[in-house]
Amino acid sequence: MDLAAREFQTTFQVDLPDRPVTAPYHARRAHKKSRQGCTVCKSRRVKCDERKPACLRCENYGAECVYPPSPTSSRTSSSPSSSSSDPDRTLVSLSISDMVGKVRDAVGADLAFAPRAIGDYDAVVNIAVTSLNFYLKYSTDTVGTPLIQQVMRRDMIHVAFDNPYLMYTVVGCGILHMNRICPNNESREIAETYFWQRALRLYSQALQQNVNEKSVNGLISACMLMGITSLIPLRFEIKDSWVFTGEPSDLNWLAIQGGLACILKLAHKYVPGSIWGTAFGRNHEWESKLFRYDVKHGREGLHPELADLCGIDEDSNEDNCVYWFPIKLLSPYMELEANAQNAAHVTTWMGRISPQFVNICRERDPCGLVVLAHWMGLMCSLSKYQQWVEGRLRQECIAVCIYLESLEDPVIQPFLDFPAAASGYTLQVNL
């Protein structure tokens, strides 16, 4: 096992359970709410305007609007079935037995067709439930800001109960995390492949439908997690980098990170009312203080040396210079204090660069690679806050440094000091 792999396993070290953990999952704090809304709005956990005979939301959805019995009549009923079907029940706590039921409801029928190499049906369900529990207890701590993590643990799970593609994505993230900590478990590795295959297939089908108020929560949630599997491959070595293989498709791990920007563009009018509205709004407030959104061209706020290297002048902008926006985003990040909150924000750079910039990196354009290497180097320096960096980015950063060093370009050489030092690579010229 190479040094990077050992570091990765050490960084992600947690107590890996052999069976599902029995501690309850507290989904969200109970809060005061209207009890008079229709059953459809309650099941979707949205506010009902209580208009009768049909509320506005049901009318817009084309759904049959049904109101529950009055509180008085509800109290007179003590049947177990009415209690267990309460749509607010999972808002209080979610035990392992609850998880089994929810996983069976969401993807249980589909799991019956999982490869036999994973095990029988009950074994597959057990792996899925263990993965979901692991995601909730550990995986969500490794990505995003605290507010993003909160949504991932709570609201996202409720959405996953009703969207099989998101349930597969969530359990895929959990089992991927387990497999990177404790590799060489054949049945779990096969299960990981199966979960992600189903997640991608069902997600692709969901994307064929129009993005609307009902689908936006699931689509955004799945998209945010989809890129993880490419950032933390099961096995990756420096020689596998696209700069050495010459295969442009080997940079797809970067290209697919831009998927969220596409979803947000399609769903922009629905985002404020989604489960992500508050978290994204807070991020925008923070970024507004960091970036000069009013600056649309020129060198103001840009890293001067990178701007010089890429030929950026006062007339350069996002439309006429492919390097301008990536450097505009990267420059203030390089001045931030190293902490968990800032590390989560720096991560978003990879999802905001343009396809045109990704393409010049595919072509191994030296200036583009320098900019990319600086972001990867920055992520390496923040890896203790974003542990997934050890899965691929550190090796990719070293690979780019080696490739650029081999060009023996005296203009490029000085720009390799930072990414090389951050990734742990010793430049040959310094020997």
Side-chain angles (χ1 to χ4, degrees):
M1 183 182 299
D2 60 23
L3 176 60
R6 288 198 300 272
E7 288 179 348
F8 180 77
Q9 285 186 234
T10 302
T11 303
F12 273 96
Q13 190 63 48
V14 297
D15 294 330
L16 182 62
D18 295 325
R19 57 185 181 275
V21 181
T22 57
Y25 160 58
H26 299 286
R28 63 185 300 182
R29 185 177 300 172
H31 57 282
K32 186 177 180 180
K33 63 180 72 178
S34 170
R35 300 294 181 183
Q36 307 304 314
C38 74
T39 56
V40 175
C41 287
K42 281 189 175 183
S43 66
R44 289 183 173 134
R45 298 173 54 250
V46 296
K47 183 174 177 60
C48 180
D49 63 5
E50 301 179 19
R51 191 180 71 173
K52 296 181 178 181
C55 75
L56 184 59
R57 286 187 182 274
C58 285
E59 189 174 282
N60 290 338
Y61 281 128
E64 181 181 2
C65 188
V66 179
Y67 283 88
S70 65
T72 301
S73 62
S74 296
R75 284 193 295 268
T76 62
S77 173
S78 59
S79 66
S81 59
S82 63
S83 174
S84 63
S85 61
D86 181 359
D88 291 333
R89 181 171 179 265
T90 57
L91 299 182
V92 179
S93 67
L94 189 64
S95 67
I96 293 300
S97 61
D98 291 326
M99 287 189 190
V100 172
K102 293 296 184 180
V103 169
R104 287 182 186 272
D105 289 343
V107 295
D110 199 49
L111 291 179
F113 299 96
R116 292 300 90 190
I118 303 175
D120 60 17
Y121 176 74
D122 289 337
V124 178
V125 171
N126 181 65
I127 290 177
V129 172
T130 302
S131 301
L132 172 59
N133 191 52
F134 198 87
Y135 165 88
L136 293 170
K137 291 178 66 65
Y138 302 113
S139 302
T140 52
D141 288 334
T142 67
V143 294
T145 63
L147 201 53
I148 293 290
Q149 293 171 3
Q150 186 179 76
V151 178
M152 286 183 170
R153 292 189 189 100
R154 299 179 179 181
D155 302 88
M156 180 190 285
I157 301 304
H158 289 282
V159 177
F161 292 155
D162 297 320
N163 292 274
Y165 67 86
L166 181 56
M167 178 59 77
Y168 271 120
T169 303
V170 168
V171 299
C173 288
I175 197 168
L176 179 150
H177 192 173
M178 284 193 289
N179 285 342
R180 300 311 178 268
I181 296 169
C182 187
N184 303 318
N185 183 309
E186 184 177 2
S187 62
R188 276 211 319 258
E189 289 183 2
I190 297 173
E192 177 188 334
T193 300
Y194 176 73
F195 292 158
W196 280 110
Q197 284 178 345
R198 295 303 297 156
L200 290 167
R201 181 181 294 274
L202 296 175
Y203 179 65
S204 297
Q205 293 174 3
L207 286 175
Q208 303 305 312
Q209 309 300 318
N210 292 331
V211 179
N212 53 45
E213 186 177 15
K214 183 179 179 181
S215 64
V216 65
N217 288 328
L219 293 176
I220 291 178
S221 299
C223 191
M224 290 179 68
L225 297 177
M226 282 288 178
I228 289 180
T229 183
S230 64
L231 290 172
I232 318 176
L234 186 58
R235 296 173 184 87
F236 182 81
E237 299 179 16
I238 293 173
K239 64 180 178 61
D240 298 325
S241 173
W242 90 101
V243 296
F244 295 136
T245 67
E247 294 291 337
S249 61
D250 288 337
L251 191 59
N252 283 351
W253 64 267
L254 180 61
I256 65 175
Q257 306 305 323
L260 180 60
C262 297
I263 295 293
L264 294 179
K265 186 175 182 180
L266 293 171
H268 68 280
K269 63 181 179 180
Y270 306 116
V271 173
S274 74
I275 62 174
W276 297 104
T278 300
F280 287 177
R282 295 277 180 84
N283 283 350
H284 182 74
E285 292 174 4
W286 182 87
E287 290 176 351
S288 296
K289 299 175 183 178
L290 183 66
F291 300 117
R292 288 286 306 278
Y293 286 132
D294 57 313
V295 177
K296 304 295 185 182
H297 62 85
R299 295 167 57 95
E300 183 177 353
L302 272 61
H303 188 286
E305 287 78 17
L306 289 177
D308 288 341
L309 174 69
C310 297
I312 294 175
D313 57 30
E314 293 305 321
D315 295 322
S316 299
N317 58 44
E318 186 175 1
D319 296 324
N320 62 28
C321 179
V322 70
Y323 309 106
W324 187 83
F325 189 65
I327 296 177
K328 177 180 174 62
L329 290 178
L330 180 62
S331 298
Y333 285 151
M334 298 182 70
E335 302 298 324
L336 294 177
E337 177 186 353
N339 58 44
Q341 181 85 2
N342 290 337
H345 288 296
V346 175
T347 300
T348 66
W349 182 91
M350 64 181 172
R352 303 170 70 175
I353 55 177
S354 69
Q356 292 76 20
F357 181 78
V358 175
N359 285 337
I360 67 169
C361 290
R362 289 187 196 275
E363 298 166 1
R364 296 181 289 193
D365 172 76
C367 292
L369 292 183
V370 166
V371 176
L372 177 59
H374 272 68
W375 172 73
M376 292 193 294
L378 186 56
M379 291 308 307
C380 288
S381 68
L382 297 169
S383 62
K384 72 176 181 178
Y385 307 110
Q386 297 287 310
Q387 299 98 324
W388 53 266
V389 168
E390 307 300 344
R392 179 176 210 131
L393 280 193
R394 188 177 298 277
Q395 293 94 313
E396 291 280 14
C397 188
I398 292 173
V400 170
C401 289
I402 294 173
Y403 174 80
L404 290 174
E405 186 179 35
S406 71
L407 300 180
E408 298 183 350
D409 186 335
V411 175
I412 295 293
Q413 188 66 40
F415 290 92
L416 303 183
D417 291 341
F418 168 70
S423 63
Y425 172 66
T426 302
L427 294 167
Q428 299 304 303
V429 71
N430 294 329
L431 292 179

